[in-house]
Amino acid sequence: MLSAGINIVGFSWITSPAATELESIVLDWLAKALFLPQDFLSNGKGGGVIQGTASEAVLVVLLAARDKILRTVGRSALPKLVTYASDHVHSSLLKACQIGGLDPELCRLLKTDSSTNFALSPDVLSEAISNDIASGLIPFFLCANVGTTSSTAVDPLPALAKVTKTNNIWLHVDAAYAGSACICPEYRHFIDGVEEADSFNMNAHKWFLTNFDCSLLWVKDRSALIQSLSTNPEFLKNKASEGNMVIDYKDWQIPLGRRFRSLKLWMVLRLYGLEGLRAHIRNHIALAASFEELVVQDARFKVVTPRTFSLVCFRLLPPPNSEDNGNKLNHDLLDLVNSTGSVFITHTVLSGEYILRLAVGAPLTEVRHVNAAWQILQEKATALLENL
Ligand code: PLP
C-alpha cells in the first residue's frame, strides 16, 4: 500500500535516490543471506535489480549475453547463436529468444527423464554444444534451473558451469520458485555452483511473502546489461548520471518507468527477519512432506519424483489390465477434485505421464488444509475406481 501510495516513478537515480539506493541495499542484504558470490554485490562490477517478473529477468540477461557475444563475433552472426536449457525450462526462455531475434529452432530444449529426476545432464549439454560447434553454430547461453516449474527439478550447477566456462557461454540460473528456500542453510546446497553463474534470479513474489511484482535478478557484470539496455536522451540528462556516480536502473530493464518495489522487500525483510522467513519456508516444506507421507501410505497412489521443496508430484495408479495408462484416470481425478471448489490442484506431464501436483505456498495454509485436500483426493479416487 505504501509503495503504491507514494507513487514513486524511479527510473533514474535523480527521480528518487531513495528508491534506487534502497533497491541496491536490500538486494545486497539478500545476496549475502543467500551466500551469493561477492561478484553479485553492488560494490563491485555486478549488482542486483528488481524486475517485474522472471520472464523479464531472463529476457534482459539473454539480450546482454547476445550483445556481448556479437561484439566479439560480429552482428551478422545473430542467426548462428544457440541457446540451451532442459526441456523443463520455463516457457519464458523461448519467449525471450523470440523477442531477442534469435532463431527459435536454435533454442535447444535438451531431453531429460526420470534417471536424473528431470534435471539436465552435463553430458547431454556437452554433446549438443559439440554438435552445434561442428555445424558452424555459436553456443552462447544456458538457462539452468533450480526448481523447474513442472517438478522442481534441480540442474547440477557445478557440472554445468564447467561446460559453460569451457565454451564461453553465459550461465543464467532460474531459481524463480526454489531460490527462496536457499536462505535456509540446509537448502543452500541447491545453488552450489552459482559462484560460476553470470546471472541469478528468484521471484520474491512467489514464495518469499512479497506481493507481486518483485523478481530479483543479480548479475556479475552490470556493464553487459547496461550496454544492451541503455539509452541516453537529452530530457533524462542530469549531473548525477553524467558523472557516473549513481545507478540508473532504467538501464538494467526494458521499461523506463519503475515502481518503488524495494520498499516491499525491505518491509518483508524487516517484518519477518531472516529467521521468520526461514521458519515460513521450513513450515511449507514440512507440510508438503506430510502430504507426501500420506500419499506413500496409500498403495493406490505413487509419488512420481522425489519431493525436494514444497511441491509433491503424484498420481493414482491405474488398476491392473486397465486400457488407460493412467492419464485419463488422473485427468478425471483432477477435474473431480477441483470441481469440489474446496481445493485446487494442478497437473503436469513427465515422460508422457499425466501427473497431479499439490503445492504448499499460501501463507495461511495449515496441516488441517493439507489433510482435508488428501481426504478429498482419496474420496474422489475411490469413487472413480469403483465406477471403472
Ligand atoms: N521460471 C520458473 C521456474 C517459474 O516457475 C516461473 C513461473 O511459474 C517463471 C520462470 C516465470 O515467472 P514470472 O511469472 O515471474 O515471469
Side-chain angles (χ1 to χ4, degrees):
M1 286 167 68
L2 256 184
S3 164
I6 297 174
N7 196 28
I8 293 293
V9 188
F11 40 86
S12 50
W13 181 87
I14 197 80
T15 60
S16 175
T20 300
E21 302 216 356
L22 192 66
E23 188 155 329
S24 305
I25 289 169
V26 290
L27 283 164
D28 280 353
W29 283 356
L30 208 50
K32 288 178 191 164
L34 287 163
F35 292 97
L36 294 184
Q38 192 72 24
D39 317 3
F40 282 125
L41 297 182
S42 63
N43 60 3
K45 290 186 178 161
V49 56
I50 305 181
Q51 304 283 333
T53 58
S55 305
E56 289 158 81
V58 74
L59 172 60
V60 296
V61 295
L62 187 96
L63 298 179
R66 179 198 67 181
D67 294 347
K68 192 171 177 181
I69 187 95
L70 290 181
R71 279 193 290 278
T72 311
V73 298
R75 289 206 75 82
S76 60
L78 180 67
K80 293 185 182 170
L81 299 188
V82 193
T83 309
Y84 302 86
S86 86
D87 54 356
H88 281 286
V89 73
H90 191 268
S91 53
S92 52
L93 177 67
L94 204 54
K95 193 181 262 193
C97 289
Q98 286 167 236
I99 298 172
L102 296 156
D103 183 349
E105 295 285 314
L106 297 185
C107 184
R108 308 262 186 246
L109 302 186
L110 303 170
K111 204 163 163 28
T112 60
D113 59 31
S114 57
S115 68
T116 59
N117 287 327
F118 302 95
L120 178 58
S121 146
D123 292 341
V124 170
L125 175 68
S126 278
E127 196 185 332
I129 291 173
S130 301
N131 291 340
D132 285 332
I133 293 175
S135 312
L137 298 171
I138 305 172
F140 87 107
F141 190 85
L142 170 67
C143 180
N145 295 293
V146 174
T148 54
T149 310
S150 264
S151 64
T152 69
V154 177
D155 292 341
L157 297 186
L160 294 175
K162 274 193 191 147
V163 181
T164 54
K165 247 202 151 111
T166 314
N167 292 284
N168 191 28
I169 291 175
W170 183 295
L171 172 58
H172 175 64
V173 177
D174 176 355
Y177 155 76
S180 299
C182 300
I183 56 158
C184 300
E186 68 273 32
Y187 302 120
R188 168 58 178 77
H189 66 93
F190 289 115
I191 54 168
D192 281 358
V194 69
E195 301 70 35
E196 302 301 334
D198 295 282
S199 47
F200 175 80
N201 173 230
M202 78 167 237
N203 276 355
H205 64 238
K206 268 191 167 49
W207 198 18
F208 211 67
L209 294 169
T210 312
N211 283 6
F212 187 83
D213 53 353
C214 195
S215 181
L216 317 179
L217 173 68
W218 287 271
V219 289
K220 265 190 189 159
D221 174 14
R222 61 175 178 258
S223 76
L225 259 191
I226 293 170
Q227 284 185 71
S228 284
L229 301 174
S230 157
T231 53
N232 198 17
E234 189 56 40
F235 49 82
L236 294 180
K237 287 187 178 156
N238 65 85
K239 265 193 202 148
S241 301
E242 310 255 287
N244 264 337
M245 295 176 313
V246 295
I247 285 182
D248 285 327
Y249 277 125
K250 72 177 176 59
D251 298 333
W252 300 44
Q253 61 173 21
I254 304 295
L256 173 65
R258 61 199 325 272
R259 293 178 284 284
F260 199 168
R261 288 184 287 226
S262 57
L263 191 57
K264 297 190 288 188
L265 191 57
W266 179 83
M267 196 68 93
V268 166
L269 289 167
R270 299 290 296 174
L271 191 62
Y272 293 89
L274 280 180
E275 272 316 311
L277 287 159
R278 289 182 185 123
H280 147 77
I281 296 285
R282 287 175 179 139
N283 178 37
H284 282 183
I285 292 181
L287 287 173
S290 77
F291 179 81
E292 183 186 32
E293 195 47 45
L294 293 171
V295 178
V296 168
Q297 282 166 15
D298 187 333
R300 298 173 304 168
F301 286 85
K302 163 176 127 179
V303 173
V304 178
T305 52
R307 181 201 49 75
T308 313
F309 303 104
S310 69
L311 179 87
V312 184
C313 297
F314 62 103
R315 76 194 309 246
L316 180 60
L317 297 168
N321 308 324
S322 158
E323 276 179 17
D324 170 32
N325 64 1
N327 284 2
K328 180 173 178 326
L329 183 69
N330 281 280
H331 197 297
D332 291 348
L333 181 58
L334 179 95
D335 283 348
L336 268 180
V337 166
N338 286 350
S339 65
T340 63
S342 304
V343 56
F344 190 87
I345 56 169
T346 56
H347 80 281
T348 191
V349 173
L350 294 174
S351 296
E353 285 194 338
Y354 190 96
I355 308 292
L356 305 183
R357 304 180 310 152
L358 182 130
V360 181
L364 298 179
T365 300
E366 296 171 18
V367 71
R368 64 193 168 98
H369 302 117
V370 173
N371 290 341
W374 176 236
Q375 203 179 340
I376 293 172
L377 269 155
Q378 280 188 308
E379 279 168 20
K380 298 299 175 195
T382 303
L384 262 180
L385 292 172
E386 276 172 6
N387 288 319
L388 277 182

